[in-house]
Amino acid sequence: MVNRDTEQQLALDQLQGDILVGLQKEAQLFVGFAIADVTKFKRFLSAIPLTTGREALLAEDRILAARANGGTGKLDIRGINIAFSAQGLKKLGVPNVDNIKDKSFLAGLAAQSAKLNDPPDGPGAVKNWLLGNGVGELDGLLIITGRGRPEVQATMADLDQSAGSGTWIPFFTEIGTTRPGAEHGHEHFGYLDGVSQPAVRGRIDQIFPAKKFLNPGQNPADPNQGLPGADLHWPGEFVFGYAEQDKTDVEHPLGPKDGGLPWMKNGSFMVFRRLEQLVPEFHATAKAKAEALGGVDPDVLEARMVGRFRSGSPISLSDVDNPALGGNELKNNDFDFGGKDLDGLKCPYAGHIRKAYPRNDVTPAATGATQEAKEKSSEANTQTHRIMRRGIPFGPEVGPVENAKNQTQHSRGLMFVCYQTSIQDQFEFITRNWINNPDFAIPKAGFDPILGQAEGSNRQRSFTGGPPNSPSGKPPTVTLEADFIRPTGGGYFFMPSIHAIHTVLTQ
Ligand code: HEM
């Protein structure tokens, strides 16, 4: 058992706030920019009031305190973080950028897009993306968070003014917002998002003596978890300069994780994908497929595609949507697949959450003779393929005409953001080896029905996992003719520490 008192201190004053804590946001402005004048930009960059991990944690406390005091209004909390592409770092004159170990970061998302099975034609094709389409314009991404559109726009106006003319070209700006009313916290398909996140080891008691750990243990039955079901990870999985996971032993730290250049310490790779969601098409298809399966409940079929019901309640724990379970962070993540659901009767192997994080399912990394040994070894390896997700929806709510025609007319979806210390082994590994691999975790599991992409122009894909109570008696295979999610822009970035920004990036 790990003596948690020996865990490293996390340098919250050095870390940008979005990485381990998450910036508080009802609205988030994404600014894709090019550097116009290096000298002016460096001056501007050194003056940007970047939000640190400590500030983000303090803001979280303020929100919790206000809620505890019966407050219902939204506090005016603002955040700013910044990240750079390999090209941006080079433009700033940072030495030896090509020594960065992650070759996917150096290549950039546009170059990697085909390997993620992004469509070769149409709006999802990299050549048609709204940003980061490979013509070399994206030097960095600035994110601004706040309680609403006016606040993030005002922050941007202040920043742009302080930049002065001819400093940068903020050529892509788009605001994501949380959804209104009862849909708050849900993504556009209707499902509660941000439920399951990896827990992170590390002490914070020099800054918050009363808190001691960023993710305190909250599961008396398992000291290797933060919230029940959220396995603790060594911080080097998400931030450079800290111990990382051992592929064979979750309790044993390796490291410290080295990105290739010493100043990468306390920094993290950021993947940004603007993912459009075809919402009416998704629901209409689920309805038609549910009917074709002999009249099963389309909501159940959808839940099986996701792995959770709309409220967040996991289908592994409940056969019906159970909002009390979905909203309870002590329970909504406390489940495993291996050993308990080998036939995928509760949660299909293809279900989005089982594909994206197979927990203790047996994977090709398994060692040992018994089922238990295989699950344990697989799980230790799986923990080296986690990501810290920080997305926010964008675009308007679905309107009546779109609903009536079952056809998307307005661009909407998820500004997908995740942090990790290896784009290759984390974001790309999950996408290529699991989500888009029809034979993971078992042969013929099929594609992740919401996110999976088949290679090439024929986008048809199938998954095994209709409700087992349909006439076949087993989870039937369902064929999907088209994608429901398509990439429309993005990039691979590095989010440096505050120290690196004030030294190596601005010297
Ligand atoms: C529009 C795109 C997407 C939608 C609508 C979506 C939706 C969801 C939903 C509803 C959940 C369950 C709630 C939760 O645990 O937070 C979830 C979980 C998750 N998603 Fe996605 N997602 C999208 C894109 C992605 C991408 C691009 C990845 C990574 C390649 C990803 C990886 C994950 C992971 C790792 C989990 C947590 C699984 C777990 O720990 O149980 N998602 N997603």
Side-chain angles (χ1 to χ4, degrees):
M1 196 174 102
V2 177
N3 173 1
R4 293 210 59 192
D5 288 334
T6 63
E7 289 175 9
Q8 260 168 298
Q9 276 284 339
L10 298 171
L12 287 184
D13 287 321
Q14 285 305 325
L15 285 161
Q16 296 198 50
D18 208 33
I19 304 169
L20 288 188
V21 181
L23 298 177
Q24 289 73 23
K25 57 191 189 220
E26 297 294 334
Q28 180 169 6
L29 174 60
F30 293 79
V31 185
F33 64 85
I35 298 167
D37 179 305
V38 173
T39 310
K40 283 186 186 172
F41 186 84
K42 286 187 176 189
R43 207 176 311 133
F44 166 52
L45 177 58
S46 16
I48 298 179
L50 295 169
T51 310
T52 64
R54 174 210 285 257
E55 287 160 347
L57 257 192
L58 283 171
E60 197 172 278
D61 272 359
R62 276 178 59 205
I63 293 173
L64 291 175
R67 271 195 214 136
N69 287 331
T72 49
K74 306 224 173 352
L75 301 183
D76 187 3
I77 289 169
R78 305 185 188 197
I80 308 174
N81 278 179
I82 197 164
F84 294 89
S85 64
Q87 170 189 302
L89 293 174
K90 286 180 182 170
K91 220 180 230 184
L92 289 174
V94 173
N96 305 322
V97 170
D98 287 327
N99 289 357
I100 292 178
K101 290 181 183 171
D102 196 309
K103 299 302 169 222
S104 296
F105 168 70
L106 292 176
L109 174 59
Q112 295 296 99
S113 161
K115 293 188 185 139
L116 305 174
N117 289 0
D118 290 347
D121 319 294
V126 68
K127 57 183 182 232
N128 297 322
W129 285 2
L130 305 175
L131 83 160
N133 55 19
V135 293
E137 81 280 37
L138 252 185
D139 290 334
L141 186 76
L142 180 85
I143 53 175
I144 299 176
T145 54
R147 71 172 163 185
R149 282 174 183 272
E151 286 82 2
V152 295
Q153 276 161 339
T155 307
M156 176 61 184
D158 287 350
L159 277 180
D160 203 24
Q161 197 178 16
S162 82
S165 66
T167 303
W168 68 334
I169 307 163
F171 61 86
F172 172 86
T173 55
E174 186 164 9
I175 297 178
T177 55
T178 51
R179 296 185 53 213
E183 293 298 324
H184 189 262
H186 295 231
E187 50 69 46
H188 274 292
F189 291 146
Y191 293 79
L192 188 65
D193 202 1
V195 180
S196 170
Q197 291 280 20
V200 181
R201 296 187 187 276
R203 292 181 9 248
I204 56 171
D205 45 349
Q206 276 174 13
I207 296 182
F208 300 98
K211 276 209 165 138
K212 204 161 178 181
F213 299 106
L214 183 66
N215 290 133
Q218 295 190 58
N219 185 0
D222 189 343
N224 285 327
Q225 295 190 339
L227 285 165
D231 293 331
L232 282 160
H233 293 73
W234 297 97
E237 295 300 306
F238 309 105
V239 188
F240 288 104
Y242 296 86
E244 63 175 319
Q245 293 288 122
D246 179 335
K247 282 184 193 310
T248 60
D249 180 354
V250 290
E251 295 192 353
H252 182 240
L254 296 179
K257 180 81 174 183
D258 166 28
L261 296 171
W263 60 265
M264 291 170 78
K265 186 173 178 181
N266 286 312
S268 183
F269 289 121
M270 174 197 205
V271 171
F272 167 51
R273 298 260 274 172
R274 184 185 186 276
L275 295 172
E276 265 181 8
Q277 290 174 258
L278 305 179
V279 179
E281 290 86 343
F282 172 71
H283 294 307
T285 304
K287 210 170 149 206
K289 300 290 171 187
E291 235 166 70
L293 287 173
V296 304
D297 182 344
D299 287 349
V300 172
L301 181 60
E302 279 193 14
R304 292 177 64 78
M305 293 174 162
V306 175
R308 293 184 187 268
F309 286 97
R310 290 183 179 217
S311 73
S313 82
I315 55 174
S316 294
L317 296 182
S318 174
D319 294 336
V320 292
D321 198 355
N322 177 347
L325 169 62
N328 184 342
E329 62 172 18
L330 293 171
K331 294 195 173 145
N332 60 16
N333 212 15
D334 197 9
F335 59 94
D336 264 336
F337 301 121
K340 304 198 180 87
D341 192 12
L342 293 178
D343 298 321
L345 293 178
K346 283 183 176 297
C347 180
Y349 280 90
H352 176 54
I353 68 161
R354 194 164 183 171
K355 278 277 186 186
Y357 177 37
R359 297 179 188 235
N360 63 341
D361 269 335
V362 172
T363 72
T367 56
T370 62
Q371 176 71 15
E372 206 186 328
K374 285 182 182 155
E375 283 170 9
K376 199 166 174 226
S377 53
S378 298
E379 189 171 21
N381 187 283
T382 288
Q383 304 302 0
T384 65
H385 304 295
R386 304 296 314 279
I387 48 176
M388 197 62 81
R389 291 175 300 131
R390 303 281 182 227
I392 189 165
F394 70 89
E397 293 294 297
V398 176
V401 177
E402 292 180 295
N403 265 334
K405 291 189 169 168
N406 288 331
Q407 202 179 43
T408 297
Q409 292 178 343
H410 303 284
S411 177
R412 67 175 62 76
L414 185 74
M415 297 295 212
F416 174 85
V417 171
C418 73
Y419 296 97
Q420 59 258 284
T421 47
S422 170
I423 295 176
Q424 283 173 324
D425 288 341
Q426 292 166 277
F427 170 72
E428 286 189 352
F429 185 96
I430 295 172
T431 308
R432 299 177 65 185
N433 294 45
W434 295 348
I435 285 173
N436 290 348
N437 175 0
D439 291 320
F440 181 80
I442 57 162
K444 299 200 166 68
F447 286 84
D448 174 332
I450 68 160
L451 188 63
Q453 302 193 94
E455 205 179 346
S457 304
N458 181 0
R459 307 303 287 171
Q460 182 174 303
R461 67 218 150 93
S462 55
F463 73 100
T464 304
N469 61 354
S470 64
S472 75
K474 287 185 185 159
T477 298
V478 179
T479 298
L480 304 167
E481 285 72 28
D483 297 327
F484 305 120
I485 292 176
R486 64 179 172 219
T488 49
Y492 289 163
F493 303 95
F494 182 72
M495 185 171 274
S497 70
I498 305 293
H499 178 73
I501 285 176
H502 290 295
T503 54
V504 71
L505 267 75
T506 49
Q507 273 159 7

